[in-house]
Amino acid sequence: MASSITAPYGSWKSPITSDIVSGATKTLGGTAVDGRGRLIWLESRPTESGRVVLVLEPENPGGDPVDITPTEFGVRTLAQEYGGGAFTVSGDVVFFANYNDQRLYKQSITSLDVPPTPLTLDYGGPVVSFADGILDARFNRFISIREDRRESSLNPPTTIVSIALGSKDVQEPEVLVGGSDFYAFPRLDPKSERIAWMQWSHPNMPWDKSELWVGYISENGEIDKRVCVAGHDPSLVESPTEPKWSPDGELFFITDRGNGFWNLHKWIESENKVLPVYSLDAEFARPLWIFGMNSYEFVQSHKQKNLIACSYRQQGKSYLGIIDDRQGSKLTVLDIPFTDIDNITSGNDCLYVEGASAVHPSSVAKVTLDDDKSKAVDFNIIWSSSPDSLKYSSYISKPELIEFPTEVPGQNAYAYFYPPSNPIYQAGQGEKPPLLLKSHGGPTAETRGILNLSIQYWTSRGWAFVDVNYGGSTGYGREYRERLLGRWGIVDVNDCCSCAKYLVDSGKVDGERLCITGGSAGGYTTLAALAFKETFKAGASLYGVADLSLLSAETHKFESHYINNLAGGEKVCSERSPINHVDKFSCPIILFQGLEDKVVPPEQARKIYQALKEKGVPVALVEYEGEQHGFRKAENIKFTLEQSMVFFARLIGNFNVADDITPIKLDNFD
């Protein structure tokens, strides 16, 4: 084998180009199975300006998948701004929310030449959104969550509504359940006699405290009696989620009562009592940022009554399991290559699993089970967000899960560390690589150790990269999640600084070349770390929060009390807002912002840019027309990546990048 080329870290040539990364960021919006057992998935396409399309698996192996969604449509709901649950498949029909007008449509999967039919009224603009729907065959109607912004976009009412399917004319939906601030997961039992749903109200987020209700449906289709199944007992702090009826009409759901971890439970209706199905210090669900999550499924079996396929997360890794809900629940772990699992969909004698690993990008796999449903006998990738990623396997840096001490004695936090990796290059003796630390968004979320080409873009060029699950992240139980309550801007910032210090002390990175980046809440942590600490030498903030008070006043309904929970009142928000401490910024920052962002309005980035420009700190602001909270267009994903890379190289890197990138002008530098 030829000897390696010696070149400074960060200056290495890599085949993982920004074009490949931006084209490979197709994302998955859910899976379903049609009446013939065929898989349907929802994918967003950066190369089509982020259009979201339903796709049907190929008729024959090796064939091409078929687009269900016509080119003039896009399947995406803006309910709660983050959406999710934008489509429902029932037999050979799909119901979906269309992005441009936010109306609900019905479409035949078997007659794709017939255009979709609208089910909801045209309100003259995208002011009413629908999500998380189900077909009610008993009353020939579609039941859905509705967010109605006709009168107020800051405080729109959310309700559970029914939409008649039989009438010739489109009608105004009827409200079935209302009065709470938020609803999710309306789910009918097999006979459409009972409906379960989840609800919560300000100031809680759904993972803080929520309630699970069951309503009894009368002969005329109304809910005439209701009972609270979980979340009503003031002595129990819990957040029930994901209700689902078994084929024989038992109600299952996930809640974090007792051990503080989201575990599977079931309702004993005759006694209005809740029993644990299987208890484990692991998370069987994720926080409800979007609608339509599906963490478990009932599996049909000839021998057993209730088999449940589920995924759970423990110490930074996901597992796929089968729970036998007969006497003394038993959990069997299935051996599959994924170390990260999102949703599960039940197929004919198989499971469709959305997952990833250190060597698999976000994918959908068909997992075939044996007759006893206790072993995976076949594992086949059906869809991949980045099918070409295998070409670069020799360049891939695999994540190492690290546990590091925080500033609180006895408390540790977690991160995934990716060392530089390129088979052609090595650095000079004694050189340590620059580090890019990423702080995830949310902040109530979790970063995962999976193959992500946007991370490999950095590591294959000679950067070290670390992705931090600071205190407040999910995946480690309620106690870990609640470390951030009242302490946002402190715990997250301290943990990111502690992680960087740990890597410097371990001899893995260069302490003089530490950079930080993050989007949204991660952008806030980035700006706060640069304002209040001296650990990092430069930063890149993507649609980051600079002013907590402004965010609290301007953000959408779903998160309107979230900031108070995380930071505190007006005084604390002011103290912890980077915009109010511009005098403390001393290192270079590049800002990226979408101009249609409703979650973090563009004014935030402009204020910080203006202030730093006046202070004389090197700074640049990039604004994107037509982008919202998170960038969806390939050209903007590419530009953000390239400009971040060349920005860090010029300002702290002491190296030239190998790629031909024209840097944008930096104020107070160029």
Side-chain angles (χ1 to χ4, degrees):
M1 190 178 147
S3 60
S4 299
I5 301 165
T6 300
Y9 283 120
S11 69
W12 303 349
K13 262 193 172 153
S14 167
I16 303 171
T17 64
S18 55
D19 281 314
I20 284 160
V21 176
S22 61
T25 41
K26 278 196 306 189
T27 54
L28 194 64
T31 52
V33 171
D34 75 359
R36 302 181 191 182
R38 297 177 300 175
L39 179 69
I40 292 170
W41 64 86
L42 184 65
E43 67 179 36
S44 77
R45 297 175 176 170
T47 51
E48 294 183 34
S49 298
R51 187 170 83 94
V52 192
V53 181
L54 281 165
V55 184
L56 181 64
E57 74 168 316
E59 197 75 48
N60 304 303
D64 290 326
V66 179
D67 283 5
I68 294 170
T69 310
T71 48
E72 64 275 23
F73 287 85
V75 180
R76 184 179 162 207
T77 176
L78 291 174
Q80 272 172 212
E81 206 60 43
Y82 297 117
F87 75 101
T88 304
V89 174
S90 182
D92 294 326
V93 174
V94 61
F95 301 87
F96 69 89
N98 181 44
Y99 175 58
N100 282 338
D101 58 11
Q102 288 295 290
R103 296 171 77 185
L104 269 182
Y105 287 79
K106 176 182 170 183
Q107 184 184 6
S108 165
I109 301 165
T110 47
S111 313
L112 292 178
D113 50 336
V114 178
T117 314
L119 297 175
T120 53
L121 294 166
D122 182 352
Y123 295 107
V127 290
V128 179
S129 295
F130 299 88
D132 208 7
I134 40 159
L135 178 68
D136 180 357
R138 180 184 170 201
F139 292 100
N140 194 24
R141 60 185 179 177
F142 191 72
I143 295 175
S144 173
I145 305 292
R146 178 182 71 180
E147 182 181 78
D148 188 346
R149 299 180 296 277
R150 281 176 286 183
E151 290 184 15
S152 165
S153 59
L154 275 179
N155 192 27
T158 302
T159 49
I160 300 175
V161 298
S162 75
I163 295 135
L165 297 177
S167 55
K168 281 183 185 169
D169 303 322
V170 175
Q171 297 171 353
E172 182 71 22
E174 281 183 30
V175 175
L176 282 178
V177 185
S180 192
D181 286 325
F182 303 99
Y183 293 93
F185 294 112
R187 297 294 182 262
L188 287 165
D189 75 4
K191 294 179 178 173
S192 292
E193 291 172 351
R194 295 165 297 174
I195 181 170
W197 69 86
M198 171 190 171
Q199 66 182 51
W200 69 99
S201 285
H202 291 317
N204 294 309
M205 296 302 282
W207 48 82
D208 296 326
K209 204 168 186 315
S210 59
E211 294 175 349
L212 174 63
W213 286 77
V214 168
Y216 293 84
I217 301 170
S218 66
E219 290 300 316
N220 63 2
E222 291 172 6
I223 294 171
D224 60 1
K225 181 187 147 199
R226 59 187 73 188
V227 58
C228 189
V229 170
H232 53 87
D233 182 347
S235 68
L236 271 181
V237 177
E238 63 177 329
S239 47
T241 184
E242 292 199 52
K244 189 174 284 193
W245 300 89
S246 72
D248 51 5
E250 276 191 301
L251 181 64
F252 288 74
F253 61 98
I254 295 170
T255 190
D256 59 349
R257 60 169 63 185
N259 65 0
F261 286 86
W262 275 310
N263 285 185
L264 202 54
H265 290 70
K266 72 175 174 182
W267 180 47
I268 309 301
E269 184 177 14
S270 56
E271 303 169 53
N272 192 20
K273 197 168 81 177
V274 169
L275 294 180
V277 172
Y278 192 85
S279 297
L280 191 66
D281 284 357
E283 299 282 42
F284 284 73
R286 289 157 286 147
L288 195 150
W289 281 103
I290 58 169
F291 291 106
M293 291 184 295
N294 204 39
S295 306
Y296 67 100
E297 278 274 37
F298 298 103
V299 177
Q300 298 196 323
S301 157
H302 307 300
K303 297 177 184 174
Q304 287 98 347
K305 199 171 172 194
N306 268 343
L307 287 184
I308 301 163
C310 60
S311 68
Y312 64 92
R313 201 151 172 84
Q314 199 170 37
Q315 295 300 320
K317 188 181 173 193
S318 296
Y319 300 86
L320 180 65
I322 300 277
I323 292 176
D324 183 348
D325 180 44
R326 293 180 302 170
Q327 292 305 314
S329 289
K330 187 179 89 177
L331 173 69
T332 306
V333 176
L334 301 176
D335 185 17
I336 63 167
F338 286 160
T339 54
D340 184 274
I341 296 167
D342 280 338
N343 298 313
I344 301 172
T345 296
S346 197
N348 295 341
D349 292 322
C350 69
L351 297 169
Y352 292 104
V353 180
E354 300 174 23
S357 75
V359 293
H360 295 93
S362 172
S363 309
V364 180
K366 181 179 184 178
V367 179
T368 308
L369 305 176
D370 66 355
D371 288 344
D372 289 340
K373 315 293 184 210
S374 61
K375 268 200 196 83
V377 293
D378 194 29
F379 177 90
N380 196 4
I381 302 276
I382 304 274
W383 178 90
S384 170
S385 59
S386 173
D388 292 340
S389 55
L390 288 174
K391 287 182 194 166
Y392 314 110
S393 54
S394 62
Y395 289 82
I396 297 304
S397 173
K398 290 183 185 167
E400 172 197 340
L401 178 66
I402 59 170
E403 185 174 346
F404 58 90
T406 68
E407 288 200 0
V408 179
Q411 274 192 3
N412 289 354
Y414 306 91
Y416 295 100
F417 175 67
Y418 299 79
S421 173
N422 187 312
I424 294 167
Y425 289 90
Q426 63 178 23
Q429 213 173 350
E431 192 196 353
K432 297 273 197 293
L435 174 73
L436 182 58
L437 180 144
K438 185 181 174 204
S439 168
H440 66 69
T444 311
E446 180 188 7
T447 191
R448 311 280 187 96
I450 63 173
L451 178 54
N452 177 346
L453 289 185
S454 62
I455 291 175
Q456 304 298 328
Y457 178 81
W458 295 89
T459 53
S460 63
R461 283 165 175 75
W463 280 76
F465 193 103
V466 68
D467 215 345
V468 183
N469 276 318
Y470 47 78
S473 302
T474 57
Y476 295 90
R478 183 180 278 267
E479 196 179 313
Y480 193 84
R481 197 165 76 232
E482 291 187 345
R483 283 186 192 178
L484 209 56
L485 286 181
R487 295 179 61 76
W488 193 29
I490 297 172
V491 169
D492 49 322
V493 169
N494 287 346
D495 286 0
C496 287
C497 294
S498 296
C499 182
K501 182 179 181 300
Y502 174 82
L503 291 170
V504 172
D505 293 347
S506 311
K508 291 184 173 177
V509 301
D510 182 350
E512 294 305 308
R513 294 189 290 173
L514 303 177
C515 301
I516 184 169
T517 187
S520 189
Y524 166 68
T525 304
T526 296
L527 294 171
L530 295 171
F532 305 128
K533 298 280 184 177
E534 292 177 359
T535 306
F536 299 98
K537 303 293 188 270
S541 168
L542 284 68
Y543 39 94
V545 179
D547 186 336
L548 293 175
S549 305
L550 188 66
L551 180 70
S552 204
E554 289 187 353
T555 198
H556 57 137
K557 178 185 172 185
F558 178 59
E559 292 182 82
S560 57
H561 290 253
Y562 188 35
I563 289 89
N564 280 348
N565 298 348
L566 292 171
E570 187 61 42
K571 182 172 177 283
V572 177
C573 280
S574 177
E575 285 168 3
R576 292 194 208 153
S577 293
I579 192 67
N580 299 329
H581 300 275
V582 176
D583 55 310
K584 293 182 178 167
F585 281 101
S586 57
C587 62
I589 299 177
I590 188 166
L591 305 147
F592 299 91
Q593 178 69 42
L595 291 178
E596 288 182 20
D597 194 333
K598 300 264 198 334
V599 180
V600 179
E603 192 51 36
Q604 299 242 343
R606 287 173 183 162
K607 275 175 82 173
I608 211 112
Y609 165 69
Q610 208 53 48
L612 293 179
K613 188 176 164 185
E614 284 166 19
K615 197 195 170 199
V617 174
V619 66
L621 169 62
V622 177
E623 294 184 327
Y624 295 125
E625 293 276 352
E627 288 282 22
Q628 297 161 335
H629 197 63
F631 306 145
R632 291 167 177 266
K633 298 178 181 177
E635 61 272 24
N636 298 337
I637 296 166
K638 169 186 160 94
F639 193 76
T640 303
L641 204 52
E642 290 181 340
Q643 292 302 325
S644 300
M645 166 84 55
V646 78
F647 171 80
F648 290 138
R650 292 176 74 203
L651 286 142
I652 62 104
N654 309 328
F655 56 81
N656 293 314
V657 295
D659 306 77
D660 183 17
I661 301 168
T662 306
I664 56 168
K665 179 181 176 295
L666 299 177
D667 291 289
N668 305 320
F669 185 78
D670 290 320

